[in-house]
DNA sequence: CGCCGCATGTAATTAGTTACATGATTGT
DNA sequence: ACAATCATGTAACTAATTACATGCGGCG
């Protein structure tokens, strides 16, 4: 498993608390690896026990204390080793594609609607991606090495999103020809 | 969860045994939903208990008996209802993108190699997709309704694959500029 | 004889989700 | 008083992976 490695990756540059990690996952790495706060907290305990992370309690004014985690030397070595190993892919699972195998006149309109929703979600995500890209990765050749990797991941997300939008349009066009009922006031 | 629905989808047109389902998942629906035989067998038991599937033992010459599953009326209704509900997406998880966040001179060559492997895998997959497309979906407008849905799913797979190949090329080009050691015998 | 393909399963473990629990501060 | 944000956790459950188990028939 590699939630542990995703967490440690997020801690490469900034030390963070579990709460902050959960937030970071929602916008940055979380685009490629989704994790709930419950999972993160439990993983943090394991990683601290294994000696890959160090915990430090930080008092805050007007807010509860937080427990900030930092990579240890052992943690960094473990990461370096992990990068050199074989990658694992966990293919996504999407009801929508399975549903398409069940296409019929009775559900074509519904599926077109769901695809429309997905399109909308993807548009918003792409908007965020592009904002990040323009702000931090406008000139990829000028980036420090590690940042080039982050850029490549971002680029994969953007490309995939763009392809998905195009597919949504195609799919909706075809579904429109299938739809059983016509709604143009005839 | 929807492994159950993926299984029932696979049984829409053909009755199958667990073994056959596992094989079918590897080439057709499995492109969008991966499942091991263990999972499939257990799910089949649950679905039969729920009355959505019917089991029938079929004796075979020179082979062990097999248990063939068929959708019941209740199963078909459950499917029709499920299609009309909200879809769930389980985003994929890929070590490779997390690893890219760890890019350094010391691992650039390794990452480029891993991307090359992925490219090769995707090429083979696309070859299969295209073969299926040419054989069964050459003229999408002429397809029966349900098949149009399957075509759309296939199209999403093809498009995604093509985008991925292009990304691999871009990524390898950028990684080549990062790689610490030069190997051209200089 | 050993390995492969067919065919079905159980058990143990790990990963992930959902629900629940606590408690402080700030804003309405 | 009530909700929202910050902050951390436990418990129960579902899903998925890995490993193990069985047994027949055909091939080399």
């Amino acid at each position: 498993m590699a939630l542990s490695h995703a967490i440690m990756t997020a801690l490469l540059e900034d030390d963070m608390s579990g709460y902050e990690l959960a937030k970071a996952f929602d916008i940055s790495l979380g685009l490629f690896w989704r994790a709930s706060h419950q999972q993160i907290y439990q993983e943090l305990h394991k990683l601290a026990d294994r000696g890959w992370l160090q915990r430090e309690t930080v008092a805050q004014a007007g807010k509860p204390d937080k427990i900030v985690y930092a990579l240890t030397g052992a943690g960094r070595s473990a990461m370096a080793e992990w990068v050199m190993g074989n990658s694992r892919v966990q293919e996504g699972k999407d009801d929508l594609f399975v549903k398409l195998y069940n296409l019929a006149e009775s559900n074509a309109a519904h599926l077109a609607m769901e695809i429309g929703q997905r399109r909308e979600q993807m548009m918003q995500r792409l908007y965020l991606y592009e904002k990040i890209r323009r702000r931090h990765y406008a000139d990829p050749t000028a980036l420090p090495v590690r940042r080039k990797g982050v850029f490549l991941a971002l680029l994969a997300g953007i490309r995939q999103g763009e392809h998905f939008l195009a597919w949504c349009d195609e799919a909706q066009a075809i579904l429109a020809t299938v739809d059983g009922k016509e709604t143009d006031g005839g």
Side-chain angles (χ1 to χ4, degrees), chain A:
Chain A
M1 213 272 311
L3 169 58
S4 52
H5 297 98
I7 288 174
M8 288 197 283
T9 294
L11 294 174
L12 273 179
E13 290 189 334
D14 300 306
D15 300 345
M16 278 187 267
S17 68
Y19 190 84
E20 289 161 345
L21 269 165
K23 298 272 141 188
F25 262 70
D26 278 351
I27 53 159
S28 168
L29 243 183
L31 303 174
F32 308 103
W33 204 285
R34 212 143 274 280
S36 64
H37 81 274
Q38 292 92 331
Q39 241 186 306
I40 289 171
Y41 281 120
Q42 290 194 311
E43 202 63 38
L44 284 171
H45 288 302
K46 285 185 210 165
L47 290 171
D49 288 348
R50 233 179 289 175
W52 288 351
L53 297 182
Q54 240 182 298
R55 6 164 77 216
E56 194 190 345
T57 304
V58 175
Q60 299 180 111
K63 286 181 185 177
D65 290 2
K66 64 180 177 180
I67 303 164
V68 172
Y69 292 85
L71 274 172
T72 61
R76 283 182 196 274
S77 319
M79 285 303 281
E81 214 179 294
W82 169 74
V83 173
M84 300 304 282
N86 286 326
S87 291
R88 293 185 43 176
V89 202
Q90 145 120 244
E91 221 89 34
K93 291 178 180 181
D94 192 337
D95 276 10
L96 195 51
F97 293 116
V98 180
K99 282 188 181 178
L100 279 172
Y101 275 65
N102 290 262
L103 179 63
E105 268 126 42
S106 57
N107 57 34
H110 173 79
L111 289 174
M113 185 271 288
E114 281 207 83
I115 290 171
Q117 286 176 354
R118 290 291 186 85
R119 196 184 190 288
E120 189 53 41
Q121 282 163 28
M122 187 51 89
M123 287 268 284
Q124 275 167 33
R125 191 190 267 211
L126 271 178
Y127 178 76
L128 174 66
Y129 282 20
E130 286 289 358
K131 215 169 75 184
I132 295 171
R133 180 187 191 163
R134 253 176 285 125
R135 200 181 298 172
H136 302 289
Y137 305 95
D139 181 7
T141 54
L143 293 169
V145 172
R146 208 181 72 81
R147 282 304 200 75
K148 283 187 186 179
V150 182
F151 168 73
L152 282 175
L154 182 68
L155 196 63
I158 289 173
R159 291 268 195 280
Q160 203 211 97
E162 285 168 347
H163 125 266
F164 185 71
L165 290 187
W167 176 83
C168 286
D169 293 338
E170 273 185 273
Q172 288 192 312
I174 291 184
L175 289 178
T177 69
V178 166
D179 195 351
K181 62 168 182 293
E182 299 286 316
T183 48
D184 59 305

